């Protein structure tokens, strides 16, 4: 009887433990369900961020390509600008030298014109008149000497007037060249202005692209860091799944063992009950004869149903 009570107590305790394990299994399964949902959510988010990373990386590559192209364009403009500035300096240097030469020619013309005193045509006529008079008139030696002296004076003045005329003509030619150089210098100044504007535009574009690149890189690094964090979280989640799965399997095994133990105890309890009943029945018989079936029960031989 005491054994029977002990078995009942054990069965109750084991049933309570089995119930506790069943609740634990339910909790673990619910936790695993939540973890699987979290895993799917994290994997989905990581996938989206990976696509975002690819987009940002492509954007970074495109901006870098634009910057390289822009750098070549700026280099070309700078070369043109340097060349135009150098050419303009050369033209201005030539203009200065030319203006000095024009000033010299004009001063020479003015000086010779003052010395000649008479226009070139007047001097030519005077020389012709004197030469004709010497050749055609009967002159005394003294008169001829006077005319020859006049001829020398007018010839000297004619040479000066002729030189003055040439200096004036040269000055006018140099003036035309000066106008050409001034026009060339003006064109170069306009070209330099446009090249500087083009360079400024390229610099502004480069500044915008660099700002765009910095922003894209910052976004890329932010997304990369976020992916790293989510992967770390996913790894923790995976580890938790492994641990909980192990706990679930252990709990299931333990509950299975307990249920098996309960079954064994119940069988033993049933057998003890039958044994007690058979023993009581035998004790009440006059001759205490025992059947084969009763012997099996008494010795604990139970056939599987």
């Amino acid at each position: 009887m005491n054994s029977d009570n002990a078995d009942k107590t054990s069965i109750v305790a084991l049933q309570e433990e089995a119930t506790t394990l069943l609740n634990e299994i339910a909790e673990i399964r619910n936790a695993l369900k939540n973890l699987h949902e979290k895993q799917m959510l994290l994997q989905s988010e990581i996938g989206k961020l990976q696509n975002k990373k690819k987009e940002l990386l492509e954007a970074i590559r495109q901006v870098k390509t634009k910057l390289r192209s822009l750098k070549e364009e700026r280099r070309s403009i700078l070369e043109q600008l340097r060349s135009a500035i150098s050419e303009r300096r050369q033209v201005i240097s030539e203009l200065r030298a030319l203006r000095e030469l024009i000033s010299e020619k004009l001063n020479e013309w003015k000086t010779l014109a003052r010395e000649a005193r008479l226009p070139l045509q007047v001097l030519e006529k005077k020389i012709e008149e004197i030469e004709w008079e010497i050749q055609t008139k009967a002159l005394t030696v003294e008169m001829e000497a006077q005319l020859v002296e006049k001829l020398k004076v007018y010839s000297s003045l004619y040479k000066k007037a002729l030189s003055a005329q040439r200096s004036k003509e040269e000055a006018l030619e140099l003036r035309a060249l000066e106008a050409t150089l001034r026009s060339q210098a003006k064109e170069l100044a306009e070209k330099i202005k446009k090249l500087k504007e083009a360079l400024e535009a390229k610099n502004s574009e480069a500044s915008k692209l660099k700002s765009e690149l910095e922003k894209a890189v910052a976004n890329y690094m932010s997304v990369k860091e976020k992916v790293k964090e989510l992967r770390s979280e996913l790894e923790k989640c995976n580890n938790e799944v492994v641990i909980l799965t192990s706990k679930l399997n252990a709990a299931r095994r333990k509950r299975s063992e307990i249920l098996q133990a309960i079954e064994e105890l119940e069988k033993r309890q049933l057998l003890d009950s039958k044994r007690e009943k058979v023993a009581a029945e035998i004790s009440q018989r006059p001759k205490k004869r025992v059947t084969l079936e009763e012997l099996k029960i008494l010795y604990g031989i139970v056939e599987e149903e």
Side-chain angles (χ1 to χ4, degrees):
M1 191 69 179
N2 290 334
S3 175
D4 188 38
N5 290 333
D7 287 343
K8 285 181 180 179
T9 303
S10 297
I11 289 170
V12 171
L14 289 172
Q15 285 175 339
E16 288 176 356
E17 190 175 354
T19 301
T20 301
L21 284 170
L22 187 62
N23 292 334
E24 184 180 340
I25 288 168
E27 289 176 3
I28 292 172
R29 289 181 66 183
N30 188 55
L32 282 170
K33 180 185 175 183
N34 292 336
L35 283 171
H36 286 313
E37 290 175 356
K38 188 176 180 181
Q39 281 176 320
M40 291 178 66
L41 186 64
L42 286 170
Q43 287 168 353
S44 174
E45 189 64 24
I46 288 169
K48 290 177 184 177
L49 289 174
Q50 288 286 54
N51 290 334
K52 183 66 176 177
K53 266 180 64 181
K54 288 178 182 177
E55 291 173 6
L56 287 168
L57 192 60
E58 181 59 29
I60 289 168
R61 286 171 182 162
Q62 288 180 4
V63 172
K64 283 184 175 180
T65 300
K66 287 180 183 178
L67 279 170
R68 282 193 293 269
S69 176
L70 196 61
K71 186 178 180 181
E72 291 301 319
E73 291 174 10
R74 287 178 69 253
R75 184 183 288 111
S76 174
I77 292 172
L78 276 171
E79 288 175 359
Q80 293 178 58
L81 182 60
R82 291 191 188 102
S83 176
I85 290 172
S86 176
E87 189 176 351
R88 186 171 179 272
R89 284 173 180 166
Q90 181 64 31
V91 169
I92 289 172
S93 178
E94 290 175 4
L95 268 172
R96 287 184 184 132
L98 190 60
R99 282 167 183 164
E100 289 177 5
L101 185 58
I102 289 170
S103 179
E104 289 175 7
K105 290 294 179 182
L106 288 174
N107 289 334
E108 185 180 333
W109 167 64
K110 289 176 183 178
T111 300
L112 290 170
R114 280 197 301 270
E115 290 177 357
R117 292 189 297 276
L118 295 172
L120 189 63
Q121 294 82 358
V122 173
L123 290 169
E124 284 178 348
K125 188 175 180 181
K126 284 286 184 183
I127 289 170
E128 286 174 1
E129 287 174 357
I130 293 170
E131 286 178 343
W132 184 84
E133 192 173 349
I134 289 172
Q135 291 172 3
T136 58
K137 288 184 180 181
L139 301 170
T140 63
V141 174
E142 186 179 349
M143 290 174 64
E144 185 176 352
Q146 288 176 354
L147 287 173
V148 168
E149 189 62 31
K150 278 186 180 182
L151 183 61
K152 287 180 180 180
V153 171
Y154 281 118
S155 294
S156 176
L157 292 174
Y158 177 79
K159 288 179 181 178
K160 289 181 179 180
L162 186 62
S163 294
Q165 180 68 23
R166 286 174 182 168
S167 294
K168 185 179 180 181
E169 288 172 356
E170 286 175 1
L172 291 173
E173 289 175 0
L174 292 172
R175 285 283 191 191
L177 180 58
E178 181 191 19
T180 301
L181 288 175
R182 276 203 310 270
S183 176
Q184 190 176 349
K186 185 178 178 181
E187 288 175 2
L188 286 168
E190 187 63 28
K191 183 179 180 180
I192 288 168
K193 181 184 176 183
K194 288 180 179 179
L195 286 170
K196 284 181 176 179
E197 288 173 353
L199 185 62
E200 184 62 30
K202 295 298 178 185
N203 288 338
S204 177
E205 188 179 351
S207 179
K208 289 179 182 177
L209 285 173
K210 285 177 181 177
S211 177
E212 187 178 335
L213 179 62
E214 287 175 2
K215 186 177 178 181
V217 169
N219 287 339
Y220 176 82
M221 295 306 294
S222 176
V223 171
K224 185 178 179 182
E225 187 62 28
K226 184 64 177 176
V227 168
K228 184 179 177 182
E229 290 174 4
L230 291 177
R231 280 181 172 166
S232 177
E233 191 174 349
L234 180 60
E235 186 177 354
K236 289 178 182 177
C237 194
N238 292 339
N239 291 336
E240 286 180 26
V241 167
V242 171
I243 292 168
L244 285 178
T245 301
S246 177
K247 285 183 178 180
L248 178 64
N249 292 334
R252 281 174 173 170
R253 282 194 302 271
K254 189 173 181 180
R255 185 171 179 272
S256 178
E257 291 170 0
I258 289 171
L259 290 176
Q260 189 175 358
I262 290 172
E263 186 179 355
E264 292 295 327
L265 285 172
E266 286 177 343
K267 284 181 180 180
R268 192 172 72 182
Q269 190 179 27
L270 180 61
L271 184 60
D272 288 344
S273 177
K274 285 182 178 181
R275 189 183 289 118
E276 287 176 6
K277 183 180 178 182
V278 168
E281 289 176 354
I282 293 171
S283 66
Q284 291 176 3
R285 294 175 189 169
K287 294 184 178 181
K288 295 184 174 56
R289 290 182 180 179
V290 182
T291 65
L292 179 60
E293 186 66 28
E294 288 173 337
L295 280 172
K296 288 181 179 180
I297 292 172
L298 289 171
Y299 287 99
I301 302 171
V302 181
E303 293 181 355
E304 295 289 337
E305 294 181 0

